[in-house]
Amino acid sequence: GGGAWGAAGGAVRGGAARGAARGFPLVWPAQMYGRSSNWTGIDIWTDGLRRAQRKIELLQIPNVSLQAVDAVSMPFEDSSFDLITSNLGINNFDDPPAVMRECVRVARRGARIALTTNVSGHMRAMYDVLREIVSDQRFANEQQENHLGTVESLDPLVPAGSFVAPRHPRAWLTLPVHV
């Protein structure tokens, strides 16, 4: 699947948000950039899109539209967006390189892309505890952990010369685990 995206217009003339079904990274940037921007959220999860639509209506955000669209084949013209955002999408796309090529196609010259993701190892402490408690879940946990990438494995997904050189801000939150 292709998930959801966010994008903006106005000062940021056009933006697209993947992960729109949960409202982030779509609602907050649409509010931040204000009515001079236009945002399009896409997701293949229609129930989530309905939830996001309710949030948009409740918050009275007029500069957002939603579409049930797979990110691997977006129905937008070339060079449509100044900003493309995705929260956790890269972990969940069936074909991440195809999604990234599509992002390059719909991005205007000088556009930015902001991707957030969980990398391999981010939930290691929790998985370790789960392995101790529920031994038959070991394979499922390893499978979950192994599908995540590393910074080094994700960088090549951004086609060379397509977006500004990547930065890798890292924020780690360590939670105490008690058994």
Side-chain angles (χ1 to χ4, degrees):
W5 285 84
V12 172
R13 294 184 312 236
R18 190 260 170 229
R22 284 143 317 277
F24 177 86
L26 178 67
V27 170
W28 176 76
Q31 290 174 309
M32 183 180 73
Y33 282 102
R35 293 173 188 238
S36 65
S37 65
N38 296 299
W39 286 78
T40 302
I42 67 169
D43 205 315
I44 58 173
W45 182 31
T46 54
D47 288 343
L49 286 171
R50 281 192 286 279
R51 183 182 307 159
Q53 184 62 45
R54 286 192 304 269
K55 182 184 281 188
I56 290 163
E57 291 168 1
L58 178 69
L59 296 172
Q60 299 178 1
I61 306 170
N63 54 327
V64 174
S65 64
L66 300 172
Q67 295 186 35
V69 169
D70 191 322
V72 78
S73 180
M74 294 184 251
F76 309 115
E77 294 182 22
D78 294 357
S79 303
S80 294
F81 301 109
D82 295 304
L83 176 62
I84 299 170
T85 63
S86 176
N87 184 40
L88 304 178
I90 203 76
N91 292 345
N92 299 303
F93 297 131
D94 290 338
D95 188 353
V99 172
M100 293 307 298
R101 286 190 301 273
E102 187 68 353
C103 288
V104 170
R105 183 188 69 77
V106 300
R108 290 188 176 121
R109 184 179 180 156
R112 298 207 177 237
I113 189 165
L115 306 174
T116 62
T117 191
N118 294 327
V119 294
S120 182
H122 82 287
M123 299 286 283
R124 185 164 286 128
M126 184 187 78
Y127 291 147
D128 288 346
V129 170
L130 286 174
R131 284 183 193 105
E132 289 179 27
I133 296 171
V134 188
S135 61
D136 63 332
Q137 292 297 311
R138 181 180 171 91
F139 176 75
N141 292 332
E142 286 177 357
Q143 188 176 36
Q144 169 67 19
E145 182 71 5
N146 291 336
H147 100 278
L148 302 175
T150 64
V151 169
E152 295 76 20
S153 71
L154 296 172
D155 270 352
L157 294 175
V158 180
S162 60
F163 294 101
V164 174
R167 291 185 302 149
H168 305 107
R170 294 180 186 217
W172 295 95
L173 173 62
T174 304
L175 300 175
V177 179
H178 304 282
V179 181

